[in-house]
Amino acid sequence: MAIVADSSGATEAVKVSRDDAVTTIELNKPERMNALGLDLTSDLAAALRGAAEDDGVRAVVITGAGKAFSTGADLKAIAGPATAGELDTDELLEAYNPVITLIREMPKPVITAVNGPAAGAGASLALAGDLVVAAESAYFLLAFSGIGFVPDSGASLFVPARVGFTRAAEMALLAGRVPADQAAEWGLINYAWPDESFAGNTAELARKLSQGATRAYAGIKRELNTWMYGQLANQLKLEMEIQRDLAKSPDFIEGAKAFLDKRPAKFTGR
């Protein structure tokens, strides 16, 4: 099977390739650990729309270039406005949320192949997939509370839907890493594979889906979305409202300053 470049949605920030009926979308900012800047999210949305509209595509894989899947929001870009109390959280989430909605509403199965750290909104992106697979060296991290923020991009829905309130609260409140093997044991993801077999196993899974009953898969996604994620739009709106409230809070401003200063944050509860 020949792998060919697919120009639909391909940019410097996102690479798109096609192998028969499988489209692979690769986040392509390895020097920034695939941080989700506005350029990357815009390009990712365009690539997802292209895959959704192409009748020849029957399965989609989202993965990351380099050592990370995605470390979430580009904190280097937003820390300055955040410390000045001028961060526009609506602009950020209005970039992230369409990507999440596109993944969930695409009438084709989407595999998120987590090749390295998936943190913050990067974890949200990973957990938006229909099937989530990870290399054993990868981990998942809801890092938001560490800077005085709350989960966004659907994480406040995806995590409890997958692992329940108890583990969702642990991940969100304590902001600790969940290694891939533990994530699989919890049911947060489907598979954790050895690094050396990760790419091959992912390709085989995508090939299997691409040869399956695509319209049935679309129906399955509709059923699961209705039952598990029927409130997704409202939850994304709620996340945005809470982020907007927190954006000017002393604790979030301190969290942003601490990030810039590379020191532990000293929160006061305000």
Side-chain angles (χ1 to χ4, degrees):
M1 295 183 293
I3 299 176
V4 297
D6 179 358
S7 61
S8 176
T11 66
E12 288 187 2
V14 169
K15 285 186 177 179
V16 181
S17 61
R18 176 85 170 268
D19 185 348
D20 289 345
V22 177
T23 282
T24 297
I25 302 171
E26 184 179 54
L27 312 181
N28 189 40
K29 284 204 164 183
E31 73 285 356
R32 300 300 299 274
M33 303 289 278
N34 299 317
L36 297 173
L38 298 180
D39 58 341
L40 194 154
T41 53
S42 175
D43 295 344
L44 176 55
L48 288 167
R49 290 189 191 98
E53 295 167 0
D54 187 340
D55 291 338
V57 175
R58 296 171 62 189
V60 174
V61 176
I62 302 172
T63 193
K67 297 180 179 180
F69 177 76
S70 172
T71 52
D74 189 343
L75 291 178
K76 288 185 177 179
I78 70 174
T83 58
E86 298 174 352
L87 179 64
D88 186 348
T89 56
D90 286 6
E91 180 182 37
L92 283 175
L93 297 185
E94 284 168 0
Y96 297 165
N97 291 347
V99 168
I100 301 302
T101 303
L102 281 164
I103 292 171
R104 292 308 324 144
E105 294 184 352
M106 185 183 298
K108 305 169 185 183
V110 177
I111 300 169
T112 46
V114 182
N115 55 299
S124 307
L125 174 62
L127 297 174
D130 299 303
L131 296 178
V132 186
V133 301
E136 285 185 341
S137 61
Y139 63 83
F140 298 80
L141 172 64
L142 296 186
F144 304 92
S145 66
I147 59 168
F149 241 19
V150 294
D152 61 28
S153 307
S156 64
L157 176 60
F158 298 143
V159 177
R162 287 173 176 271
V163 297
F165 179 90
T166 302
R167 284 174 172 152
E170 179 181 341
M171 288 182 67
L173 293 172
L174 300 182
R177 294 184 181 186
V178 179
D181 57 352
Q182 184 177 32
E185 181 182 344
W186 281 6
L188 185 68
I189 67 174
N190 297 91
Y191 304 108
W193 289 320
D195 288 25
E196 59 270 19
S197 59
F198 172 70
N201 288 348
T202 299
E204 177 57 25
L205 179 60
R207 184 197 63 79
K208 180 178 180 180
L209 288 172
S210 75
Q211 296 176 354
T214 308
R215 290 188 64 184
Y217 292 155
I220 290 167
K221 287 190 69 165
R222 286 180 62 193
E223 291 177 342
L224 293 176
N225 282 342
T226 298
W227 179 245
M228 298 300 297
Y229 301 142
Q231 71 273 37
L232 177 60
N234 288 335
Q235 196 70 15
L236 292 173
K237 181 180 177 182
L238 175 64
E239 290 175 345
M240 183 177 289
E241 291 171 352
I242 296 173
Q243 294 280 46
R244 186 187 303 129
D245 289 342
L246 289 175
K248 293 181 173 59
S249 70
D251 274 352
F252 175 62
I253 292 171
E254 161 61 12
K257 287 180 178 177
F259 172 80
L260 287 176
D261 297 341
K262 299 181 180 180
R263 59 172 174 80
K266 297 179 181 180
F267 296 126
T268 61
R270 296 181 295 124

